Amino acid sequence: MSVSIVHTLRVLRPAAMIALVALTGLVVGFYVNATFFPGTSPEQPINFSHRIHAGENQIPCMYCHVQARRSISAGVPSVNKCMGCHAEVATDSPQIRLLASYFETKEPIPWIKVHDLPDFVHFTHKRHVQADIECQTCHGPVETMDVVSREAPVKMGLCLDCHRKNEVEHGTDCWTCHK
Amino acid sequence: MQTEVRQARFADVNDDVVRSLVVTGRNYYIALGIAGFVTLTCFFFPWFYQLYYGIGAAGMNSPTVWGTYLASFIFWIGLSHSGTLLSCVLHLTNSEWRKAMYRSAEAMTFFSLFVAITMVMVHIGRPWFIHWAAPYPNQMGLWPNFRSPLMFDVMAIMTYLTGSGIFIYMGAIPDFAAVRDRTTGWRHHLYVLLSLGWRGTDKEWHRLGWAYTFLAVLIIPLAVSVHSIVSWDFALSIVPGLHQTIFAPYFVVGAIYSGTAGIVTVMFVLRKYMNFEHYITKLHFDNLGKLLLLLSLLWTYINMLELFTGWFSGTSTEYEQLKYKLTGFYAPLYWEMILFCAVAPLLLISRKFRTSFVPMLILSIAINIGMYTERFLIVATTLSRQYLPGSWRVYVPSLVEISILVGSLALFVTLFLLFVKIFPSISIYEIKETMGVPKKHGEHHDT
Amino acid sequence: MTRNALGLFRDPDSALAAAGRLKGAGFERPELMSPIPIHGVEEVLGPKKSVIKRFTLVGGLLGAISGFTLAAWTAVLYVHPTGGRPIITLPPFLIITYEMTILFGILATVLGFLISARFPAIRERIYVPETAVDRFAVVVACSSDDLLQRAESILHEAGAEEVRRIAEGDS
Amino acid sequence: MNFIDRFMASWRKYRKPGYYEEFDYAWTMTVDLDRCTGCGACVTACQAENNIPIVGEKELGRGREMQWIRIERYWEGEYPNAKLSFIPMLCQQCDAAPCETVCPVSATYHNQDGLNAQIYNRCIGTRSCAVYCPYEVRYFNYYDHHWDAPLEQQLNPDVTVREKGVMEKCTFCVQRIRQAKDHAKDDGRRRVKDGEVQPACVQTCPSEALTFGDRKDANSVVAKKMNDPRAYHVLEETNTLPSVVYLKKVRANAD
């Protein structure tokens, strides 16, 4: 007679394999879901492309998002501002006609917010723009995106790292960002 | 020949224990079914209700923000105190009478701790964030606050859970091996894994002995620290009636006291329903009774001291606290506690009482009711009367709280019922040791 | 291939005596198997040392260091002043140290036990199921048939109830 | 050697009480009990400013009211000769706060302005801070509260709405302090001037019983009021070093 746990391990191999496959599936599935289906690039009412505007045409961010340098929120430009150019530019494109119809009916465009922070976070664009922080630090390379999605992980770690690196005064005090 | 008799009895132990694991009667399934059902309806459903609506489902209010959940937490931690601690002390002092009862006592420790941790989950407002109280690197760069007595608790209880789990498992390895040889099917595979390939060689026994002793040495100070740390959750506050230096020994003694009473209850049930009459005898009840008597006297002494120091302090807040405790809203509960935990145990002076099973069972249950009351009063009497009279308010548990209390008992019973079918609930090899070692042929003929 | 002679005894004293004789006859250190720990093995077969105590000590020390480091280092990593206390507050951190000392001590003891007793058993090892019940076995490895016969005769002389031959890995 | 020196330097640094003697601002409130009429305007103002839920009659009866500042009433003597006194009770922003040390997840801590911060979304709801607080000014969210329409329109966007299972308390209207500091920074000034920031309760108090300011500034109103011989701290014997200073009520016909 002899004894060893190997035999039992052999018997349990199918069960262990199933568990392993299930676990791997979960991990891979989670990763795939988070990477390829982030759910942070919603379909907007108008297919506005940052790539064309900010990328190819080199329009500065602050040209449209005027409030960013003096307000908490960066703000979305008014339809009027869009029409300032699009009264002349690419008027034939179906998307621009859609834009023009909003302008004519005097309705705001129901944009969907992509970079939304939780209710408990206090963030001012003003401070960060005045401190010459690149928009891309938090918003990702927006000028290359046709459809904007949340690429930079706008989480507490990102804020803290930057605050520590730039030695922001009381940058790690919780009440600096939490309300 | 006596050797023949003894050897036959050695095999009997294996038979009895394997039978207790493998042969399952209808009554067991009925008991398990009832316990499981009660756990589900009285523990999990009200808890889910509370998770959905918020802690408001319980009866807690503004000054008394801690209630029966925390009392239950201390109670279960207390109940966990006798098993492994007593087992360790008796192991180091080589007490023979430990050997029949320690396995189930340690199981009691382990499951009480488990229930205590679930009580924490029930207690806190946002249990879905409980992982924030664990130290692990995260993107927020935030760590738990190690200055908090609650964090001492987290560390101590996790250590205790690990320690007592390992202790009960390590002591059972030779028994798993013995059971392994007798079982088939999934049980066989389970015990092969659990026994790690134990063969009972002299080397293995030697290593096991050392490791087991070291664990016992490590666990004794740990167990003492666990309940003193639980007491600091209270004593480190500045609430009159809680801010007491006596609290650490008070809690430790109270914990061992209620734990020992719990062991008596469990012993009674095991003896009666698992057919272990040969192994759990009057001797065990006699010894446990003596221990209970000692602990009850210690407990009474500390309670008197608590009153005395409060009175001696001469501050108005402490006076008010004492007056409220002895004569206020909760006074009937206080005197019930004194009756159950200080007066009734005096019966243990009589040897006849200690060796009668049913009275011991009743007393042990009464003691634990009294000890639960004690924990409840610690929370309720102090928090409802703090410094500012403007916010004095009485606290009464709600139905949800009472239901969860009952359900947590059922959860414990369920876990224990599952345990007795997986773990040999008495230690095979140590019972054999107490039976006496077989002697050489020709020596020691019957006298 | 190494073969083993095995003697089954009804009592530990005879088994121990047999093991002593085998050792005296120049065999390798015989192995005893028993349902309960046998006392006095070291007197017959020589003292045994285990590394467990070193594991426990090292584990405890490691736990103490890592416990204090955990508390102090994490307090410094993100400074949250509380209650007017210093950032590195000694009394509470010593409690964390204490708990971690014990936790690591326990884990190291278990590790030491597993290593020194060579658990879990991956390789097939000789086992006699009767020894889990009420028999005491002496097993000795013999490299030749001659030695095997000698060992068997010694076991018989010592009062073995039954003598068997087992090959390593035989099941 | 360099390593050891650095280690010793940080050891000495972190062995000192955090921010204890070197606050940027030491925000302080004084409560003149002589002026307090117990009208409760501060309670209402606080309710409006800080999105404090309205718990309703039933919950109030069960002792779960939410008032970051409350007026405690104390009666002395029997009916014909009864004397009534009020004491507004709010978070005392203690410098040696018992509530801070006990939080296992650092949801409450002391910040560089001498404020006792509470981070709601870090709170796991152990409620131990409420037990440790001798002033009973920490309030727990027993439920998810809601605001019936159109009340939700008046919620303050600068203050978050708290979830169930979270502890909350007076912040000295930190959103206003934050804004005042922001303005000071925009103006190129370094410090907030006295009187530039007021919590909602102070702003509302009709009899000016409450004043607010920085006690580090010797010329501030609060610093002067703190030198009043009537000044005292509630429960001074508990040694919590509160930042709220009360001025004792003086009775004309004191017996």
Side-chain angles (χ1 to χ4, degrees), chain A residues 127 169-170 173 178-179, chain D residues 24 109 157 160 178 182 190:
Chain A
R127 278 284 152 253
E169 191 190 12
H170 307 314
D173 178 32
H178 284 281
K179 57 180 186 185
Chain D
D24 282 8
Y109 71 99
T160 180
R178 192 186 283 135
D182 206 41
R190 179 66 184 78

Side-chain angles (χ1 to χ4, degrees), chain C residues 91-165:
Chain C
F93 288 5
L94 290 180
I95 291 167
I96 304 290
T97 310
Y98 180 89
E99 298 302 332
M100 291 289 278
T101 308
I102 292 177
L103 178 64
F104 276 54
I106 286 172
L107 293 178
T109 308
V110 174
L111 192 69
F113 167 68
L114 292 180
I115 289 174
S116 71
R118 289 195 289 141
F119 281 134
I122 300 296
R123 202 167 49 82
E124 291 284 333
R125 293 178 193 165
I126 296 166
Y127 180 57
V128 193
E130 290 93 323
T131 59
V133 186
D134 55 1
R135 291 295 191 273
F136 297 80
V138 178
V139 184
V140 63
C142 310
S143 49
S144 67
D145 281 354
D146 258 7
L147 287 171
L148 204 58
Q149 275 165 4
R150 260 184 70 200
E152 279 172 347
S153 64
I154 291 174
L155 287 170
H156 272 301
E157 273 169 39
E161 193 186 42
E162 197 188 331
V163 174
R164 294 184 207 156
R165 292 181 179 189

